[in-house]
Amino acid sequence: MLDFAIFAVTFVIILVGAVLYLYPSSRRASGIPGLNPTDEKDGNLQDIVNRGSLHEFLVSLHQEFGSVASFWFGGRPVVSLGSVDQLQQHINPNRTTDSFETMLKSLLGYQSGMGGGANETMIRKKVYESAINNTLKNNFPLVLKVVEELVGKWKSFPDAQHTPLCAHLLGLAMKTVTQLALGERFKDDTEVISFRKNHDAIWSEIGKGYLDGSLEKSSSRKGHYEKALSEMESVLLSVAKERKAQRKQTVFVDTLFQSSLTERQIMEDCMVFTLAGCVITANLCIWALHFLSTSEEVQDKLYQELEDILGSDPVSLDKIPKLKYCQQVLNETVRTAKLTPVAARLQEVEGKVDQHVIPKETLVIYALGVVLQDSDTWSTPYRFDPDRFEEESARKSFCLLGFSGNQTCPELRFAYTVATVLLSTLVRQLKLHKLKGQVMEVRSELVSTPKDETWITVSRRS
């Protein structure tokens, strides 16, 4: 998983676990330029809420104070980094833990295996990554089957029929992730629907309720969240026991049983994969098809690559690395959509960025959404242009941010694989068309998601 970059949820998680609500004795975070706390108890929390999202708050913060800036959450000083150079300086000495997994588990109240030292952390991380990789290898035909069912459904639509991307692609992600993570029990649509209900309840509160404090102020919402979390955990534990008794070795949970993890740890890893895997896979696919629908030229170029490399054959795992332009399309989707606009970690040891000293245990924000649309790093940053990734400088910057290369988190690799199967199947059979007059608004919380349902139309390729 990314050591520093995937999911804005990492910020929220650190918030919940680390905020001390003590009034700061210093008015600046180690002398780093930034905002004074506007409230004795909450620091700059209300400023974040007023901006509408943490991402929008960070955009304004870095516009005013530069690429290294500070603010307060409660009594805790926070440092935000808003350029590739500063992020590179900070991450290189701080690769010892996995911020996303550690902090997501902290928010969920999971403590098992979190204090066992660096070696145990690395072993568990490798087990988790290996489980996802093996699951994709063992179940790639299932991914292809689920995608082909969706494309077949779209082919049956009249040319003028409006197709809802969010509804269909979240369904695709749910079916794919649950079956690959937990097995054939989730071939049953009623199981998937029940899973989705609890998944949505948990994820929506992680994304919103913890950030603005509203969850703690509503006993009914908190009760709903805790009930959904309890039900989800019960389902995951039940599935794990069933799979262990059956001694199967085909899906994610089966691979975990081959390690020395406890039953509780296996349930926790299943929770992380299913929560994160569904959301990032769905939104990567949603944004990719939306952007493709806006450019016939990009669709045609992708179609030609698919024809040249795949011909009439379905895509296979060994052919995916050859689809260079498809990779560029997905990279540019992540960048243009600011798919994961914010991440964070706690400073483990005293560090330094430029001339600024960052004390141990400081909360450090990675303002990825700011960096992904920084005009100093990307030419015409608001334009969807997959060709930009033909340039070595663009690929290097993307890799430094953790969105490609060896440091890419396994959930994002999983999402790229599903999205590649979707694009390679869909684009060879259908053309995508944007609806006239549709305006896309983005909700930048944990993952950049369309605020409302996104519609396109499709037509058969002649």
Side-chain angles (χ1 to χ4, degrees):
M1 295 172 66
L2 292 183
D3 286 318
F4 71 104
I6 213 64
F7 278 153
V9 67
T10 53
F11 168 77
V12 181
I13 297 155
I14 297 174
L15 249 62
V16 176
V19 170
L20 301 179
Y21 285 106
L22 301 175
Y23 191 67
S25 58
S26 169
R27 307 303 289 179
R28 284 278 185 263
S30 303
I32 295 173
L35 295 173
N36 288 324
T38 55
D39 181 87
E40 184 172 318
K41 179 181 179 182
D42 293 332
N44 298 112
L45 174 60
Q46 191 58 49
D47 299 320
I48 298 171
V49 174
N50 290 344
R51 285 286 177 178
S53 72
L54 177 60
H55 166 67
E56 295 300 334
F57 169 80
L58 293 176
V59 169
S60 64
L61 181 76
H62 286 290
Q63 285 175 345
E64 182 173 357
F65 296 104
S67 58
V68 183
S70 65
F71 64 98
W72 294 86
F73 197 90
R76 198 175 189 90
V78 181
V79 175
S80 180
L81 306 178
S83 79
V84 170
D85 289 342
Q86 277 71 41
L87 285 171
Q88 185 180 13
Q89 288 179 52
H90 185 259
I91 188 56
N92 286 343
N94 290 281
R95 289 183 181 269
T96 57
T97 60
D98 188 316
S99 59
F100 170 64
E101 180 181 350
T102 300
M103 297 307 168
L104 179 53
K105 287 183 176 179
S106 176
L107 176 59
L108 294 167
Y110 298 161
Q111 300 299 320
S112 60
M114 292 178 64
N119 287 338
E120 182 178 330
T121 299
M122 288 302 297
I123 290 171
R124 189 166 177 186
K125 175 182 175 181
K126 288 179 180 178
V127 168
Y128 183 90
E129 292 178 346
S130 177
I132 293 178
N133 293 336
N134 289 338
T135 297
L136 274 172
K137 291 177 183 178
N138 294 335
N139 296 278
F140 189 79
L142 175 58
V143 177
L144 193 59
K145 177 177 180 289
V146 174
V147 168
E148 287 176 342
E149 288 174 352
L150 177 65
V151 174
K153 181 177 181 179
W154 286 15
K155 283 178 67 177
S156 69
F157 293 167
D159 286 354
Q161 180 166 322
H162 294 183
T163 301
L165 289 182
C166 297
H168 285 193
L169 295 178
L170 184 56
L172 172 73
M174 286 283 176
K175 287 182 179 180
T176 304
V177 171
T178 53
Q179 290 187 54
L180 266 64
L182 306 172
E184 59 268 13
R185 174 170 166 177
F186 288 86
K187 289 181 179 178
D188 184 346
D189 285 347
T190 59
E191 290 281 359
V192 177
I193 292 169
S194 176
F195 181 92
R196 178 172 177 174
K197 180 192 70 171
N198 288 326
H199 179 284
D200 290 351
I202 296 167
W203 193 262
S204 64
E205 294 298 359
I206 290 174
K208 182 67 175 173
Y210 278 108
L211 177 58
D212 61 16
S214 61
L215 182 64
E216 291 298 325
K217 298 173 185 177
S218 172
S219 58
S220 61
R221 278 177 56 192
K222 188 172 183 181
H224 181 59
Y225 166 79
E226 291 176 345
K227 181 174 182 290
L229 183 61
S230 177
E231 288 181 359
M232 179 85 90
E233 290 177 344
S234 295
V235 169
L236 295 176
L237 285 168
S238 171
V239 170
K241 290 177 180 178
E242 289 175 8
R243 301 293 300 188
K244 185 177 183 180
Q246 294 167 358
R247 297 181 179 274
K248 295 185 177 181
Q249 296 184 5
T250 56
V251 299
F252 176 77
V253 66
D254 302 332
T255 304
L256 295 182
F257 273 119
Q258 298 173 42
S259 68
S260 59
L261 297 179
T262 67
E263 204 168 77
R264 175 73 188 184
Q265 288 174 323
I266 288 171
M267 183 279 291
E268 292 173 1
D269 284 349
C270 287
M271 179 72 81
V272 171
F273 178 42
T274 53
L275 280 176
C278 286
V279 174
I280 194 170
T281 299
N283 282 285
L284 178 61
C285 292
I286 289 166
W287 286 112
L289 295 195
H290 164 70
F291 288 130
L292 283 174
S293 74
T294 67
S295 176
E296 186 174 351
E297 179 183 353
V298 172
Q299 283 190 68
D300 289 344
K301 188 169 181 178
L302 177 57
Y303 172 81
Q304 193 58 55
E305 177 184 75
L306 295 170
E307 285 289 296
D308 291 344
I309 293 176
L310 302 178
S312 59
D313 296 332
V315 68
S316 57
L317 267 179
D318 63 306
K319 292 286 182 67
I320 286 179
K322 299 178 181 179
L323 299 173
K324 302 297 185 184
Y325 189 69
C326 186
Q327 175 82 18
Q328 290 176 212
V329 168
L330 294 176
N331 287 350
E332 182 66 347
T333 296
V334 170
R335 192 202 66 82
T336 309
K338 308 180 297 295
L339 190 66
T340 56
V342 184
R345 67 179 305 128
L346 286 173
Q347 184 77 26
E348 295 167 3
V349 296
E350 182 178 285
K352 191 173 182 180
V353 173
D354 292 341
Q355 75 275 21
H356 304 294
V357 174
I358 303 178
K360 180 180 179 181
E361 296 185 356
T362 299
L363 178 59
V364 180
I365 297 292
Y366 302 112
L368 300 174
V370 175
V371 181
L372 288 170
Q373 296 193 335
D374 176 19
S375 59
D376 291 335
T377 304
W378 316 95
S379 60
T380 57
Y382 297 99
R383 179 185 174 192
F384 179 72
D385 180 17
D387 289 342
R388 75 172 73 247
F389 282 98
E390 293 177 356
E391 300 293 330
E392 176 63 27
S393 60
R395 294 195 298 270
K396 182 178 179 181
S397 295
F398 205 65
C399 186
L400 288 173
L401 294 175
F403 291 113
S404 65
N406 293 333
Q407 293 301 317
T408 309
C409 79
E411 292 91 356
L412 186 58
R413 287 198 206 104
F414 180 91
Y416 264 65
T417 301
V418 176
T420 301
V421 174
L422 176 63
L423 296 187
S424 64
T425 305
L426 183 65
V427 171
R428 283 187 290 168
Q429 300 181 54
L430 297 170
K431 287 187 176 182
L432 311 175
H433 309 282
K434 181 183 178 182
L435 293 186
K436 291 182 179 180
Q438 179 174 243
V439 177
M440 288 286 293
E441 293 187 55
V442 183
R443 187 173 68 245
S444 296
E445 292 177 355
L446 309 186
V447 180
S448 291
T449 306
K451 282 187 177 179
D452 301 304
E453 180 59 88
T454 302
W455 303 83
I456 62 170
T457 61
V458 299
S459 61
R460 289 175 177 260
R461 284 194 173 271
S462 55

